[in-house]
Structures are given as C-alpha cells and as structure tokens.
Amino acid sequence: MFHEAVPWEVEKLCFEYDTEPYYQALDFKVKNYASTAGIEVFSPVSHTLFNPTDIIQKNGGRPPLSYQSFVKLAGQPSSPLSHTLSSLPLVGDVGSCVISEVPTIKELGYVDIGQDECSPFRGGESEALKRLNEIKNDKEWVATFEKPKGNPSAFLRPATTVLSPYLKFGCISCRFFYQCLQDVYKNVKRHTSPPVSLLGQLLWRDFFYTVAFGTPNFDQMRGNRICKQIPWNDDDELLTAWRDARTGYPWIDAIMVQLRKWGWMHHLARHSVACFLTRGDLFVHWEKGRDVFERLLIDSDWAINNGNWLWLSCSSFFYQYNRIYSPISFGKKYDPNGDYIRHFLPILKDMPREYIYEPWTAPLSIQTKAKCIIGRDYPKPVVLHDSASKECRRKMAEAYALNKDSNGMVSEEDIRNLRRKLKEDPEQEAKNKRIR
C-alpha cells in the first residue's frame, strides 16, 4: 500500500512496528468470512518470482543454502499479467464509511526535524515505472551490468537501479521487472549472466526470501542452525560511534550519514560499513547493525537485510573472514579526491585530498588551515584499523574452530568461555612481550 507522491518518511513510519502478525490474523479472518459466504478466495504469491514453499519442497523440505543450488531448483518464473489497467475502478456506494486520506507526518505525531537534506527518491508506482523505463532505454547499461562492480561513491547519479525500495513496497512487480530485463537481453548481442547480472540480482532476492522462509530464527544468532556462533563484543560505545557517524574514519562516517539522510546507499557502501562494524574492526554483533539498517533503510527488507548481515559478518553463506574491506583504501580506489566524503561530511570539505581518508595524519597546520582539528571538530579513529582487523581475524579463527569442534552445537556456556579466553589472550601476550 504505497500511495503516489508520498515521501518515504511516511511509508517508513508505517513499518516501524512489527505489524505482520496483525495482518496475517486479519487475512485469516477475511478468508474465513469469504469462504463462509461462498466466495472463492485466490491468494497468489506475487511478491517474489517463485513460491518459497515450492522450492523448499523440491529440496526435500529444507531451503537450499547456496545460490547455485537455488537457481537449479527454481527454473523459470511465471509470467506477469498480460494486461494492465489504465485506472482503478470508481469507488461505489460506501454508505456511512469515511474514506481517509493518507495522513501527513505531522498528523502521525512527528514534528519537523529540520533535516537539511532528505532522500531524493520519491515513492509511488508512477515513479517506479518511470525509473524502470529509463533503465530499459539504456540497453547497453542493462546488458553490461555486473555486480559487485560499480562505484559506491557515486551519489549524484547512483551506479545501480535504485529499484529496491519500489520492489520492497510493492510499487513494482518483480516479475514485470524480470520480464523487462528478458526483453532487453533479446535485443542485444551479448549480456552478463547470473549471478552478476541484473536478472541475477532478482534471483538473489528470491534466494534470501526462500532461505529466510525455511529457516527458524533466521534473524538471530542463537537458535539459528545456519549461523556461526561467535562471541561478539557487547560494546554500546562503539556501536553508537558507528551508528552516529563518529568512528573517525571518513569513508565509514560518510556512508552512515548518507544512510541517515537518504535512507539508501550503494551495496558496496553497505558492505564496507557492515564489515567494519562486525568482523573487520569493531567486532560488534551483526544483529545490532541489522537493527540500525532496519530502522533507516527505505528498502529495508526483512529477509534480504538479515541475509546480507549474516553474509557480511561471515556468520553464514560466506566464510572468507580474512577478506576485509579497508575503511581507507577501498573508498579511495573509487573516489581519490574524496568528493563523496566532502558532500556528506562538510566538516572535511577543505581537507587536502592526500589526507581526506586519514585526516588524523594531517599536520596540525594543515588541520588548522582546513578548519577541522581532529579530536575537536571531527573525532579521532575509535580503533586503529591495522591492529583491530588483525585482532578480529584472530577472534574469527577461534570462533570458527569452536563451531567446527562442536559440530555446530555451540552452547551459550561455550560462547562465554571463548569470550573470556579471547579477552585474556591479548593480556597474556602483552605480559610476555614485556618479559622478553
């Protein structure tokens, strides 16, 4: 139910609370009432390309846990409806019922927060179809699209479709999008293929939906059979610094500012900040980061959000924990001048390009000239990346060994003992160095 020309802010308010059980109960009552009255009820699965139940049945009652196995099971999706309606039918006699308008943010009890920059993406089906048509018309871009390539620092013209919010809210049909891509592919000489193509991204979406549907406790570590049990730090100060864009790493902080202001950022930018929070630098629980994304993303989707956090924290799906996104060099590779940082962190707009990703290394005279003193106007790094990432790798190795030795049956006591051991080891190592 996404109303035309309504800001994303209003739509997000409707999804701040878990209303799914309420609507499921309401659906059940409506179906029961209709059946009792002799009315046929047709409830198609239309938010995904495939019915997750069918995929799971084909796989012996369990969801496939790899993209490749999912694609083999899935086959081809059903075609979208062959006809469209130019307008909705007129509302008939509603009797004494009052037809309500979509409430404003003020009517919902929210005051104007005076934000200096809001999301540039407007909602509604018309906006979604307009964006889709622009994409279809650029056949070369569609044909050569290849994830994970793309510039995460491109914000004036994002390097992706930005259709994810419209798919999430049902403003556009995933099957219609799939069909449009197939039509483009038929009219070009060559094109990329799944899993990296645009069509492949729709299949990734269904993959996560299917795994989430068939995995109890998919949104948490404990009780989740496909999730590695890892003794994450419980450090609210580090979490707050990350959430509030105060880590002292401009690339990370700029991304988090874009998230708060726009409710969206490029997928590689999401990878950077998720890795930094979890296995890369801060070693904070992925569930904490997931909650922040859930609250702020305009395309926040339960299955995909949880699936990506499981992936990026190396808790499931992806296990190469030694591969870490650098909070310095990764962004610099795409945007050496730091234009992205200068836009979202204007306090650093006058910092010379050689220091824009590491402003704490700038001499005090340079900081003064740039009107940004590190530690006063912009924070010092909350951790040192080289040593923090090394420590994270050590902790991940210990956690993986525990999961392997326990055959996946890790108890809460095991986690507590490992957390205690990981805390004691660095202290003992420091003592040994002093003795030597």
Side-chain angles (χ1 to χ4, degrees), residues 32 49 146 159 163 182 184 200 218 242 245 273 292 345 356 361 366 378 387 399 420 433:
N32 263 1
L49 294 172
E146 188 175 353
L163 282 176
Q182 292 281 40
V184 171
F218 183 70
W242 175 83
V273 295
V292 173
L345 293 176
I356 190 69
T361 65
I366 298 294
Y378 181 73
S387 56
R420 191 179 304 114
K433 283 183 178 179

Side-chain angles (χ1 to χ4, degrees), residues 79-143:
S79 299
L81 293 175
S82 58
H83 66 280
T84 58
L85 299 174
S86 59
S87 62
L88 293 173
L90 295 174
V91 178
D93 183 9
V94 296
S96 59
C97 293
V98 178
I99 298 178
S100 300
E101 298 293 329
V102 175
T104 64
I105 291 179
K106 186 176 181 181
E107 288 170 339
L108 288 170
Y110 286 76
V111 298
D112 184 5
I113 59 175
Q115 189 168 317
D116 59 350
E117 184 177 1
C118 296
S119 176
F121 312 116
R122 294 191 64 78
E125 183 183 28
S126 297
E127 187 69 24
L129 292 173
K130 175 185 173 184
R131 185 174 287 275
L132 178 58
N133 284 330
E134 290 174 353
I135 292 166
K136 286 195 304 179
N137 290 335
D138 193 347
K139 291 182 173 59
E140 183 180 353
W141 186 85
V142 172

